[in-house]
């Protein structure tokens, strides 16, 4: 499989509320807008991927999805989001695997893991070695 692009699709209970959360509270940049101009679907940039908020959820649908978003400063995001009354499920904490994480939730209860990768963490280093 040769994946050229990807995005996470969310179909929230209240699209207006979710667009506000992701655009105005989290501050994600809009990649594109489509559909009804009065009730548009939005696609947001997510680093190397995209997040699409479109249409309303099927009431019978269930899901178990969470978003993993790497940020530059977890402490700064914690302070900013608390100031905006975003639901914080777990405050910033260093995990046993070395990443700093904070958990929040969107208006439909989708868990969002905000992650700061410390300078010395292996994710920041290419451990494959260099062929000579």
């Amino acid at each position: 499989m040769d994946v050229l692009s990807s995005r996470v699709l969310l179909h929230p209970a209240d699209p207006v509320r979710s667009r506000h959360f992701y655009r105005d509270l989290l501050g994600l940049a809009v990649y594109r807008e489509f559909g009804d101009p009065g009730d548009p679907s939005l696609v947001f940039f997510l680093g190397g991927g995209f997040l699409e908020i479109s249409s309303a959820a099927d009431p019978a649908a269930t899901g178990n999805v969470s978003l993993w978003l790497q940020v530059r400063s977890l402490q700064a995001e914690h302070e900013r989001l608390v100031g905006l009354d975003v639901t914080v499920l777990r405050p910033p904490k260093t995990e046993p695997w070395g990443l700093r994480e904070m958990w929040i939730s969107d208006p439909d209860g989708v868990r969002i893991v905000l992650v700061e990768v410390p300078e010395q963490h292996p994710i920041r280093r290419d451990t494959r070695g260099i062929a000579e």
Side-chain angles (χ1 to χ4, degrees):
M1 175 181 351
D2 188 13
V3 178
L4 301 178
S5 180
S6 66
R7 70 174 63 161
V8 174
L9 303 176
L10 291 182
H11 301 288
D14 182 343
V16 171
R17 181 181 66 180
S18 290
R19 285 193 304 261
H20 169 71
F21 177 81
Y22 286 99
R23 180 188 56 222
D24 304 325
L25 299 182
L26 288 189
L28 298 182
V30 175
Y31 168 66
R32 74 182 282 254
E33 190 174 306
F34 63 94
D36 180 353
D39 187 24
S41 294
L42 296 179
V43 179
F44 297 97
F45 284 104
L46 276 185
F50 299 98
L51 170 67
E52 178 178 318
I53 306 295
S54 59
S55 65
D58 174 350
T62 61
N64 189 8
V65 67
S66 55
L67 302 176
W68 191 96
L69 305 176
Q70 183 180 350
V71 299
R72 292 187 191 283
S73 171
L74 195 58
Q75 190 59 43
E77 287 303 320
H78 179 257
E79 291 168 12
R80 187 180 74 80
L81 294 171
V82 166
L84 293 169
D85 293 325
V86 170
T87 301
V88 175
L89 301 174
R90 202 187 75 197
K93 171 184 171 184
T94 301
E95 297 293 348
W97 45 89
L99 297 176
R100 299 237 337 116
E101 294 185 4
M102 174 177 83
W103 300 349
I104 62 174
S105 88
D106 84 354
D108 287 314
V110 173
R111 186 172 70 175
I112 301 168
V113 182
L114 298 181
V115 178
E116 181 180 338
V117 180
E119 192 84 22
Q120 69 281 4
H121 196 278
I123 288 178
R124 289 192 179 246
R125 294 192 310 264
D126 183 350
T127 58
R128 297 174 291 179
I130 299 173
E132 294 180 18

